[in-house]
Amino acid sequence: MTGGAMDRLPTAPGAAAAEAEADEEADPPAADSPVPPVSEPRAPDAGRMQVPPGNPLLLSLTLQELLARDAVQVELVPEKKGLFLKHVEYEVSSQRFESCVRRRYNDFVVFHEALLHKFPYRMVPALPPKRMLGADREFIEARRRALKRFINLVARHPPFSEDAVLKLFLSFSGPDFLPADIQTQFAMSRELIRNIYNSFHKLRDRAERMVSRAIDNAADLLIFGKELSALGSDTTPLPSWASLNSSTWGSLKQALKGLSVEFALLADKAAQQGKQEENDVVEKLNLFLDLLQSYKDLCERHEKGALHRYSLVKRQMVSAAAQSREPESVGQLESRIVEQESVIQTMELRNYYSLYCLHQETQLVHAYLPLTSHILGAFVNSQVQGHKEMSKVWNDLQPKLRCLFVGPHSAPAPPRPPQDGPSAH
């Protein structure tokens, strides 16, 4: 946050962290929304009016518990920074988070705006006023005490104290917060996850093809059984020269007609296996691919954002140099120097924060990697269960097939499956 916008506490966390409470508090019901009918007032039911334990309407916190949530110290930094102008920095230390960070007044302003945005119906303490130039020691000390009161009230407020923005404000410290080799880690992680994405993309494509084949196999088995049933239901009379085998043909048709039930069952088993693999394998692969794709998109946004920030700073400095031909007053010169300092620090800190987020998101992706074993386990179980159930139907089908091989001119019966134990003589 430098002298101006979102630097140590960039815009992203303030907007992205607007979660449940902002939705509940900032969005009143629409005027045209349906209004429930008003019923007649009834006498209160004594049993229903009893306050249950953990009533959300009651704040069950004592003063000691509120004070114990955190103790934040705000001290002036002895050494002031700046190219030409000097500005005030504060050392903010949190007992709860065991952190110590440096903040400027504008950092508090951005943090204050984030709280107002997220908690419009909560008591957000006011900030002390800002004085642009000529702040004396008394003013600076009074503002330090006011900032200390502000941050302690916020750190002990029940909803505020559990919000991610507070933790970020009290603990994120830019480059000191990150590993020294963060750029190298980022490049390695990006390459690794790109390779994982490519492999999982191929696995997903093959899994989809296997599901498609299972569905097609189910359809083919069903049609196969229907054709056998149609053949067994044929009522075309036999010609006279084939009348000697009429009984054989009649028995054969009856057996063929009965086989359609087993083939319909086989089709159902194949369809079930395909559906199970679609839900347990393909969908989980898609879930993981969506996560990996979001990481790839984040990496691209990080790189594009860094390039955009550097080009923006360069354009601003060139523009400022071009406009500096006119003689400037001391106040204009001071204002331009402060603005350039603010832009540079904002760019650097946003880049650090972007790397910090990438560091966290990389760990999130790796936390999802064990999902691979769940996917493979679901695939193996589906194959084993599917083949087992279909094998049972095929085995039950064999005795019925032997009924087809009857009569003096029948073909030899299919071989029986091997039996356990010694053969009978």
Side-chain angles (χ1 to χ4, degrees):
M1 285 177 212
T2 72
M6 301 294 236
D7 12 4
R8 298 184 192 270
L9 183 63
T11 307
E19 299 170 353
E21 179 147 359
D23 294 338
E24 295 175 0
E25 299 192 352
D27 297 332
D32 56 351
S33 60
V35 180
V38 179
S39 59
E40 293 294 330
R42 294 181 297 176
D45 186 348
R48 297 178 61 183
M49 293 295 289
Q50 292 179 357
V51 179
N55 190 340
L57 297 178
L58 299 179
L59 180 63
S60 57
L61 290 172
T62 65
L63 174 61
Q64 288 74 15
E65 291 172 334
L66 288 173
L67 296 178
R69 281 179 172 252
D70 201 355
V72 184
Q73 301 297 325
V74 178
E75 303 295 340
L76 287 171
V77 176
E79 182 181 355
K80 300 178 181 179
K81 297 180 179 179
L83 294 175
F84 299 99
L85 298 176
K86 302 300 182 182
H87 57 256
V88 178
E89 277 197 337
Y90 304 94
E91 189 175 77
V92 182
S93 56
S94 167
Q95 188 178 64
R96 173 188 175 189
F97 297 109
E98 299 181 352
S99 60
C100 183
V101 296
R102 291 192 175 186
R103 296 286 181 257
R104 293 174 60 179
Y105 176 79
N106 283 340
D107 298 336
F108 284 89
V109 171
V110 176
F111 177 57
H112 183 263
E113 292 175 352
L115 291 176
L116 288 174
H117 175 75
K118 293 192 63 178
F119 303 98
Y121 302 125
R122 299 289 184 180
M123 297 188 303
V124 180
L127 285 176
K130 177 179 181 180
R131 182 180 296 180
M132 295 299 296
L133 297 173
D136 54 23
R137 290 185 177 181
E138 292 183 0
F139 173 82
I140 293 175
E141 174 59 20
R143 191 169 66 177
R144 180 197 68 80
R145 292 195 300 267
L147 290 175
K148 180 180 178 180
R149 295 194 301 269
F150 163 80
I151 193 62
N152 275 284
L153 285 173
V154 170
R156 295 163 181 169
H157 190 283
F160 301 164
S161 63
E162 302 302 325
D163 194 80
V165 176
L166 174 67
K167 181 178 180 180
L168 179 65
F169 183 81
L170 292 176
S171 59
F172 181 72
S173 57
D176 299 332
F177 200 73
L178 301 174
D181 58 343
I182 183 66
Q183 294 285 4
T184 304
Q185 290 187 24
F186 166 60
M188 294 172 59
S189 296
R190 186 176 186 182
E191 181 65 22
L192 172 63
I193 291 175
R194 182 188 292 115
N195 295 336
I196 294 175
Y197 177 86
N198 292 335
S199 296
F200 270 81
H201 196 280
K202 294 176 182 178
L203 289 173
R204 192 275 312 275
D205 290 346
R206 294 298 168 180
E208 284 183 337
R209 291 180 62 179
M210 285 187 284
V211 168
S212 179
R213 285 199 298 268
I215 300 300
D216 291 342
N217 184 37
D220 291 340
L221 286 169
L222 187 61
I223 293 174
F224 195 91
K226 288 181 178 179
E227 290 301 324
L228 290 178
S229 179
L231 184 61
S233 302
D234 185 76
T235 57
T236 304
L238 285 175
S240 58
W241 55 268
S243 59
L244 293 178
N245 294 322
S246 59
S247 61
T248 301
W249 175 237
S251 301
L252 185 61
K253 288 200 303 180
Q254 188 66 27
L256 291 174
K257 187 176 180 180
L259 293 178
S260 62
V261 177
E262 279 72 17
F263 277 92
L265 184 57
L266 287 168
D268 182 62
K269 297 295 184 184
Q272 288 180 8
Q273 181 180 349
K275 188 65 177 177
Q276 182 179 355
E277 290 180 3
E278 183 178 25
N279 293 333
D280 296 343
V281 179
V282 176
E283 277 305 303
K284 288 181 180 178
L285 286 170
N286 281 327
L287 173 72
F288 193 46
L289 282 173
D290 289 345
L291 178 71
L292 296 176
Q293 182 63 52
S294 65
Y295 181 85
K296 291 175 61 181
D297 295 341
L298 175 62
C299 292
E300 292 180 4
R301 291 199 304 272
H302 168 75
E303 290 189 340
K304 290 179 181 179
L307 292 174
H308 173 72
R309 286 190 290 270
Y310 282 116
S311 61
L312 179 63
V313 169
K314 185 176 180 180
R315 287 198 304 269
Q316 289 179 344
M317 288 187 170
V318 170
S319 176
Q323 295 175 0
S324 63
R325 297 174 182 174
E326 297 290 335
E328 296 180 315
S329 65
V330 175
Q332 290 174 330
L333 180 61
E334 289 177 345
S335 177
R336 186 160 58 86
I337 293 173
V338 169
E339 182 180 356
Q340 290 181 358
E341 268 193 326
S342 175
V343 170
I344 293 173
Q345 285 194 357
T346 299
M347 176 192 67
E348 291 177 347
L349 289 168
R350 284 184 176 173
N351 185 60
Y352 287 131
Y353 181 73
S354 179
L355 287 170
Y356 162 74
C357 292
L358 273 169
H359 183 70
Q360 299 295 310
E361 298 303 302
T362 303
Q363 296 178 65
L364 177 62
V365 171
H366 283 271
Y368 268 92
L369 282 177
L371 186 63
T372 307
S373 62
H374 294 269
I375 295 172
L376 292 176
F379 175 66
V380 171
N381 291 337
S382 174
Q383 289 288 323
V384 170
Q385 186 67 22
H387 286 294
K388 180 180 179 181
E389 293 180 357
M390 292 187 70
S391 176
K392 183 179 184 303
V393 178
W394 284 116
N395 289 330
D396 293 342
L397 191 59
Q398 282 187 328
K400 297 185 178 182
L401 290 176
R402 297 191 187 98
C403 297
L404 300 177
F405 302 95
V406 295
H409 302 289
S410 61
R416 295 186 178 185
Q419 301 293 329
D420 295 332
S423 60
H425 293 286

